[in-house]
Every structure is written in C-alpha cells, then in structure tokens.
Amino acid sequence: MPELAAWDSFYVIVGSAAGALIGLQFVVVTLLAQKPSTPVPEATAAFGTPTVVHLGAALLLSALARVPWPTIFFPALLWGCVGLGGVVYAVIVIRRMRAQAAYWLSHIVLPTAAYAVLALSAVAALAFTGEALFGVGAAVLLLLFISIHNAWDAVVYHAVSRKDRR
C-alpha cells in the first residue's frame, strides 16, 4: 500500500523509541523496587501501568503500519480496535485515579484524546486514507510524548521523595 509506505521512516523511529522506552521503564521500576519505601500498588496501577500501556500501543501501531497490507481496511479495523480499547482503558484509569485531583491532563485527557483521534482516523481511513494517516501518526506521537512526560514525572517524584526521606 503506497500510502503507508510513505510513513515508513516515521513508524520506524516512533516504534523504536517506544520499544526502548518500555525497556527503560522496566529498568527504572526494578531500581525503584530496591529502595526502601512503603509500596502503594494503587499508585502503580494509576500512574505506572498506563505509561507502559501507551508505549505498548505506540509500538503496536508502529508495527501494524509496517505490515504490507493489501488494502486500508485491515489496518483501519485494527486502529479502530486499539483506539476504542484505549478509550475503555482510560475509563479504567479514571476509576483508579478517582481520589486524585492532579495529573488529569497527562493521564486522562490527552491519552483519551489520542485514542479517540485514532478511532476516528480508522473510520476516516476508508474514505480519506491520506488525511487519516496524519490522524494516526498524530495519535501515535501523542501517546509517545505523553508516556515520556509521565515516566519523567514518576522518576522525578521518586528521586525527590527519596531525598526528602534522607
């Protein structure tokens, strides 16, 4: 499919970044697990897991874009499933964060917007393939940047809280 071939380098870069950041997130979690503190599993479920899910979605979408599809129907169907699944997952994260007032923009609003754009782009791809690919690309890039922001916030929080205890 020539429309997807034009996006080849974009998805190689984004997919590679997402894969590397997933690995880095595992390293950070392993290092944090070795520090003495009171574990808060609710915080991990609300803040740590969504970061890995969004990076995983960016990696999956990048991989799907590299498949030599015969038509746009199949990738659009998968984009729609990932988009709708992401919106449902955002509702789960909302339930985990309900007692929390901060971080709604980076943990709820922006990821939900990215997944909604992805789902809408999947529908639009059937009639407006070229334009819809920009929506998919924007959603994937937004998920990558949201994950970088949220991972950085988590690392800084742990680094600062460790210094406060000393």
Side-chain angles (χ1 to χ4, degrees):
M1 213 178 133
E3 293 91 351
L4 279 175
W7 287 84
D8 194 44
S9 297
F10 174 82
Y11 285 109
V12 167
I13 293 167
V14 172
S16 299
L21 289 169
I22 289 171
L24 187 57
Q25 186 78 3
F26 282 109
V27 170
V28 169
V29 168
T30 302
L31 292 173
L32 291 175
Q34 295 174 4
K35 81 174 197 176
S37 69
T38 347
V40 183
E42 297 83 15
T44 301
F47 300 112
T49 304
T51 300
V52 174
V53 169
H54 302 325
L55 286 170
L59 179 60
L60 173 64
L61 292 165
S62 296
L64 291 175
R66 302 281 298 130
V67 173
W69 301 105
T71 68
I72 196 66
F73 176 78
F74 297 108
L77 179 66
L78 294 170
W79 295 333
C81 290
V82 173
L84 291 175
V87 170
V88 169
Y89 184 67
V91 172
I92 293 168
V93 174
I94 289 170
R95 289 181 48 214
R96 292 175 179 168
M97 289 181 59
R98 65 180 168 251
Q100 138 83 316
Y103 301 112
W104 278 82
L105 180 65
S106 62
H107 285 277
I108 299 299
V109 176
L110 291 177
T112 303
Y115 288 118
V117 165
L118 182 61
L120 292 172
S121 296
V123 173
L126 300 176
F128 305 100
T129 303
E131 293 82 358
L133 291 174
F134 280 96
V136 174
V140 171
L141 203 54
L142 184 57
L143 288 171
L144 181 65
F145 285 134
I146 290 166
S147 299
I148 291 168
H149 170 270
N150 293 348
W152 178 255
D153 272 357
V155 169
V156 169
Y157 169 79
H158 287 290
V160 169
S161 68
R162 174 180 250 178
K163 282 184 177 182
D164 288 346
R165 276 183 282 209
R166 287 182 190 166

